[in-house]
Structures are given as C-alpha cells and as structure tokens.
Amino acid sequence: LEKFYENKIDIVMTDIDMPRLNGLDMARKIIKFDQTIPIIIYSSLNEAKYFMEVIELSIAAYLQKPLKKDNLLKTLSNVVEKIKYQKEFNNNLNILHQYQDLTDSNIAVSKTDLKGVITYVNNNFCKITGYSKEELIGSNHNIIRHKTNDASIFTDMWYRIKNEKQQ
C-alpha cells in the first residue's frame, strides 16, 4: 500500500493472505483513493465469501493459486488492454472538452430536444439572448423568437433539425 501511494501504479496484483494487511482490505483502500486502478487478486483460499467480496469491489480479476502462466498472461493482457482503452477514452474526452471550451468561448450554442425544449445553452448564447441559463433551460426555443422574425425562419430550422440531422 505504501508503494502504491509513493509511485505511479497502473496495475495492482496482490494475494489476499498477506502478513500485515489483508489483500482485500488493501484493495478497498486503493479503490477509495483511485477507483480506476485495476486490481488483480490471487489466493489459495477457495471460499465463497472471498469471491463475493471480489465481485462487490469490482476487482479486475481473481486468480486461484497455484498461478498458471497461461491464465496469468491472459489476465494481464486483458487488464492492460482495458487500461489502454481507458487512457485512449480519457485522451479523447480531454480533446472533446478542449473543443467544447473553444466552441463555447467563440460561438453561441443551444441544444433542444425534438419538441423544441432547450436542454443546454452556453454563456455566449445567454449574452446574445439576454436570458439566463435558468430561464432558458426547460423553456421552449420560441422564447428567443423576436416578434419581427418571420415564422419561416423557424419552420425551416425545425425542418432541418428533424429531417436533415443525420446527413
């Protein structure tokens, strides 16, 4: 556990039966600190209560001793693959947030459901319309329609949203 706190660890592998700290107790402490770290538990103990704890803790894998090389390598390969996908996902999410920040700082954005009820607005949209987010979200998009706007503008807009969105 000390090594985990002192280093950047990608995978934790532990026995349940350890001299100072039970492996499941250590897993609980690690999960409390960082839920994304995959933990592999191995043990010679073959009791249902341990299996249930492993499931409840969402442990990445549980291996029986004696460890078989093929099982260990397959398990490690699966866990490493999940780590790779999680890192790729986090990177893509970070890029998406950067695009959203860039968009939100330069463009007025609103989102509605298909009934025209506003579900999201950014700060620029609020500045342009003069309404707060609280006033806009949950309201019909017609709230921003000025009386001098021709109705055909909104008819065309909703036609495009409903019928051409997939293009």
Side-chain angles (χ1 to χ4, degrees):
L1 188 59
E2 289 170 5
K3 294 208 182 287
F4 174 79
Y5 289 134
E6 294 169 359
N7 299 283
K8 178 165 178 5
I9 305 289
D10 290 322
I11 301 173
V12 173
M13 218 173 139
T14 182
D15 195 335
I16 289 178
D17 190 24
M18 297 191 304
R20 290 190 291 164
L21 181 65
N22 172 304
L24 289 169
D25 291 334
M26 183 177 77
R28 278 187 203 87
K29 290 180 185 224
I30 290 170
I31 290 167
K32 199 176 232 182
F33 181 78
D34 185 346
Q35 294 180 350
T36 64
I37 301 294
I39 301 172
I40 299 171
I41 300 228
Y42 55 92
S43 179
S44 59
L45 304 171
N46 192 9
E47 295 179 30
K49 73 175 187 171
Y50 293 116
F51 294 124
M52 292 307 296
E53 285 185 71
V54 165
I55 291 168
E56 288 171 6
L57 291 171
S58 298
I59 300 296
Y62 183 88
L63 299 172
Q64 284 288 142
K65 282 183 178 179
L67 294 177
K68 295 180 180 159
K69 183 180 175 184
D70 290 345
N71 288 348
L72 178 60
L73 290 176
K74 183 177 179 183
T75 299
L76 285 171
S77 177
N78 289 340
V79 169
V80 167
E81 193 74 12
K82 286 179 186 176
I83 291 170
K84 178 182 138 193
Y85 287 131
Q86 186 63 48
K87 286 184 178 184
E88 189 175 313
F89 171 80
N90 290 341
N91 185 49
N92 289 338
L93 188 60
N94 185 39
I95 291 169
L96 181 62
H97 285 299
Q98 290 174 6
Y99 280 123
Q100 184 177 9
D101 291 344
L102 183 64
T103 300
D104 281 347
S105 66
N106 293 300
I107 299 171
V109 177
S110 73
K111 289 194 248 181
T112 66
D113 62 17
L114 290 176
K115 294 179 181 176
V117 176
I118 299 172
T119 59
Y120 169 83
V121 293
N122 69 0
N123 290 333
N124 284 343
F125 191 84
C126 292
K127 286 178 191 173
I128 289 171
T129 63
Y131 289 100
S132 69
K133 287 183 181 184
E134 293 77 20
E135 292 171 306
L136 291 166
I137 294 176
S139 297
N140 190 286
H141 211 271
N142 286 336
I143 192 173
I144 64 165
R145 181 177 174 190
H146 192 272
K147 60 185 175 189
T148 61
N149 290 124
D150 188 76
S152 66
I153 295 170
F154 289 90
T155 304
D156 183 53
M157 177 181 71
W158 284 110
Y159 174 83
R160 290 175 186 268
I161 289 171
K162 288 180 179 181
N163 300 308
E164 296 179 9
K165 186 174 183 177
Q166 301 300 320
Q167 295 180 355

